[in-house]
């Protein structure tokens, strides 16, 4: 029995990145041998085991054969005769098909090391097209490694287009699309995720609401980048810089401007009312992909209210209190912080505005804290009861927010 470290652990080690998950492949053994050594079986589709001490995954070397459409349409074979090279051949990208033996020697039958050095995302074999999830994985890896200069190989991009043309992408289940998207939104450069999907023609299939933004013009004095799709890419990357790894803020950034695709042509390049128009396509996208409730709830508020956040210093204190109420920010203060991160990303996601200040955020946080400082106790002490207490607290909060506006 031979054991090899494989996949992302080897890749990230070679790139000098932190190794988070260590996966292994076992060659020349069957399930009984691992069970006899105390390994715990997991997984229904193929034999994967957890190490009794480290909890790391150990999978028997296996091959796979396409048996139907979509992600689940595969038959697996795992037995002691399967070689390491056969196991690595079923992997998606060459940079993920490198193994390391227990002495530290690399096994690289498909040129993964060279592709790491050349900063190329390249498929291992033409069997790549059999699993539609791989299209999303390539886009996600592009989002992760774009800051390092990685690009998708031309021949791999052709295969991605073939997968879309052949309808494989139509068989992706919503949960997998959302899982890969959620991870991509937490990567360093999420715009690369959109660009790969768009270049492969998958964006219009999976995210038609987002794809519709490309080519829609905006007023150049506010958006020097003009194209709404380019603005969206810039907002996503700004969000990743402001709130690294936060897919909630990333989803709010992704969906904040969907209404601009619905602006009547005769009103362009202005987008009056786009924040309200965007709610319906946002809800449609979230329902289709089964997006978590909290992601949808906050994204909807960002969609509706991001212009009010930008105008916060001009708003009446009563309007600010209404905004805080919509966010439930007095009971859940962290929601305001996520909201403001998405709004700041919108502010900075414009050409030549990448480092703009955002005093609105400081003011809204002061307003939240000032409003939260108002409690019912003094009004109860005055003998007030029922609705009178709530009305008095609201008046006091409005006054407190007004004072917070001019606070240093």
């Amino acid at each position: 029995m031979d054991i090899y470290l494989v996949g992302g652990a080897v890749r990230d080690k070679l790139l000098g990145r932190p190794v988070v998950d260590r996966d292994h492949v076992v060659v020349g053994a069957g399930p009984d041998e691992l069970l006899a050594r105390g390994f715990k079986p997991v997984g229904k589709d193929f034999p994967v085991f957890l190490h009794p001490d480290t909890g790391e995954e150990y999978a028997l070397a296996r091959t796979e054969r396409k048996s139907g459409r979509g992600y689940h349409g595969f038959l697996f074979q795992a037995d002691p005769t399967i070689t390491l090279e056969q196991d690595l051949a079923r992997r998606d990208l060459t940079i993920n098909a490198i193994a390391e033996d227990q002495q530290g020697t690399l096994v690289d039958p498909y040129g993964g090391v060279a592709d790491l050095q050349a900063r190329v995302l390249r498929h291992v074999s033409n069997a790549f097209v059999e699993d539609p999830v791989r299209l999303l994985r390539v886009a996600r890896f592009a989002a992760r490694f774009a800051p390092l200069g990685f690009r998708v190989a031309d021949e791999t991009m052709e295969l991605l287009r073939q997968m879309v043309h052949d309808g494989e992408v139509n068989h992706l289940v919503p949960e997998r699309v959302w899982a890969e998207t959620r991870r991509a939104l937490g990567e360093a450069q999420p715009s690369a995720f959109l660009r790969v999907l768009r270049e492969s023609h998958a964006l219009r299939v999976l995210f038609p609401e987002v794809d519709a933004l490309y080519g829609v013009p905006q007023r150049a004095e506010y958006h020097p980048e003009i194209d709404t799709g380019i603005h969206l890419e810039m907002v996503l990357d700004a969000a990743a810089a402001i709130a690294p790894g936060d897919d909630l803020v990333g989803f709010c950034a992704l969906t904040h401007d969907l209404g601009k695709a619905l602006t009547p042509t005769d009103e362009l390049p202005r987008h009056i009312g786009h924040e309200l128009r965007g709610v319906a396509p946002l809800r449609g996208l979230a329902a289709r992909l089964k997006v978590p409730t909290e992601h949808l709830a906050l994204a909807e508020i960002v969609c509706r209210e991001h212009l009010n956040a930008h105008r916060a210093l001009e708003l009446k204190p009563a309007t600010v209190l209404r905004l805080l109420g919509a966010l439930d920010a007095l009971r859940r203060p962290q929601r305001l912080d996520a909201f403001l991160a998405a709004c700041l990303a919108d502010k900075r996601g414009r050409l030549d505005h990448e480092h703009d200040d955002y005093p609105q955020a400081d003011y809204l946080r002061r307003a939240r804290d000032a409003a939260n400082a108002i409690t019912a106790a003094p009004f109860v002490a005055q003998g007030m009861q029922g609705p009178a207490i709530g009305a008095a607290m609201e008046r006091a909060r409005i006054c407190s927010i007004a004072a917070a506006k001019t606070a240093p």
Side-chain angles (χ1 to χ4, degrees), residues 151-166:
R151 64 177 182 83
V152 178
D154 293 342
E155 60 270 31
T156 300
M157 182 57 71
E158 283 301 316
L159 283 188
L160 299 183
R161 294 193 188 105
Q162 179 184 330
M163 294 167 73
V164 176
H165 180 268
D166 292 345

Side-chain angles (χ1 to χ4, degrees), residues 105-383:
T105 301
L106 295 179
V107 180
D108 179 28
Y110 304 107
V113 173
D115 282 340
L116 281 176
Q117 295 169 344
R119 300 301 197 246
V120 173
L121 301 175
R122 191 191 317 276
H123 63 284
V124 173
S125 74
N126 285 342
F128 178 96
V129 301
E130 297 175 350
D131 183 356
V133 173
R134 289 177 169 175
L135 186 150
L136 289 167
R137 281 173 54 83
V138 171
R140 175 167 60 82
F141 281 125
R144 179 181 301 178
F145 294 127
L148 299 180
F150 276 78
R151 64 177 182 83
V152 178
D154 293 342
E155 60 270 31
T156 300
M157 182 57 71
E158 283 301 316
L159 283 188
L160 299 183
R161 294 193 188 105
Q162 179 184 330
M163 294 167 73
V164 176
H165 180 268
D166 292 345
E168 274 290 336
V169 175
N170 299 326
H171 295 273
L172 283 167
V173 296
E175 291 83 357
R176 288 310 302 264
V177 176
W178 170 244
E180 294 295 330
T181 300
R182 186 174 194 170
R183 295 180 69 181
L185 292 172
E187 299 290 3
Q189 196 170 317
S191 62
F193 178 76
L194 290 190
R195 286 194 294 273
V196 170
L197 293 183
R198 186 163 182 255
E199 189 175 348
S200 65
H201 308 150
L203 189 64
R204 64 193 181 198
V205 177
L206 300 175
F207 299 94
E209 303 89 348
V210 175
D211 186 64
L213 294 172
Y214 286 89
V216 176
Q218 303 167 105
R219 294 174 65 180
E221 62 267 37
Y222 298 117
H223 288 277
E225 71 283 355
I226 299 179
D227 190 298
T228 306
I230 300 304
H231 167 60
L232 176 59
E233 292 182 6
M234 297 178 72
V235 173
L236 282 172
D237 291 347
I242 294 163
D246 193 327
D247 59 80
L248 174 59
V249 173
F251 183 69
C252 293
L254 177 70
T255 57
H256 80 286
D257 260 354
L258 295 182
K260 288 184 176 179
L262 302 177
T263 300
T265 305
D266 59 357
E267 294 182 13
L268 296 174
R270 304 178 73 190
H271 291 278
I272 298 173
H274 76 274
E275 64 274 22
L276 298 179
R277 287 194 187 101
V279 172
L282 165 58
R283 289 175 177 172
L285 184 155
R288 188 175 67 250
L289 297 187
K290 302 182 180 180
V291 171
T293 301
E294 175 60 13
H295 282 63
L296 171 59
L298 187 60
E300 192 169 319
I301 296 172
V302 171
C303 183
R304 287 200 320 263
E305 304 287 356
H306 65 277
L307 294 188
N308 277 332
H310 299 336
R311 293 191 293 253
L313 297 171
E314 306 162 23
L315 298 179
K316 294 178 180 179
T319 306
V320 172
L321 182 59
R322 180 196 64 77
L323 174 59
L324 294 174
L327 283 161
D328 197 19
L330 302 188
R331 292 193 311 117
R332 303 166 63 190
Q334 71 281 1
R335 279 192 110 212
L336 177 65
D337 296 324
F339 170 79
L340 291 174
C343 293
L344 175 57
D346 181 43
K347 177 77 170 179
R348 290 183 176 173
R350 300 177 296 154
L351 194 63
D352 301 325
H353 289 271
E354 293 85 353
H355 304 288
D356 279 6
D357 291 329
Y358 201 57
Q360 298 93 324
D362 292 334
Y363 166 51
L364 288 173
R365 289 191 181 97
R366 291 199 306 272
R368 173 196 60 194
D369 296 342
N372 247 342
I374 305 300
T375 66
F379 304 108
V380 173
Q382 295 174 29

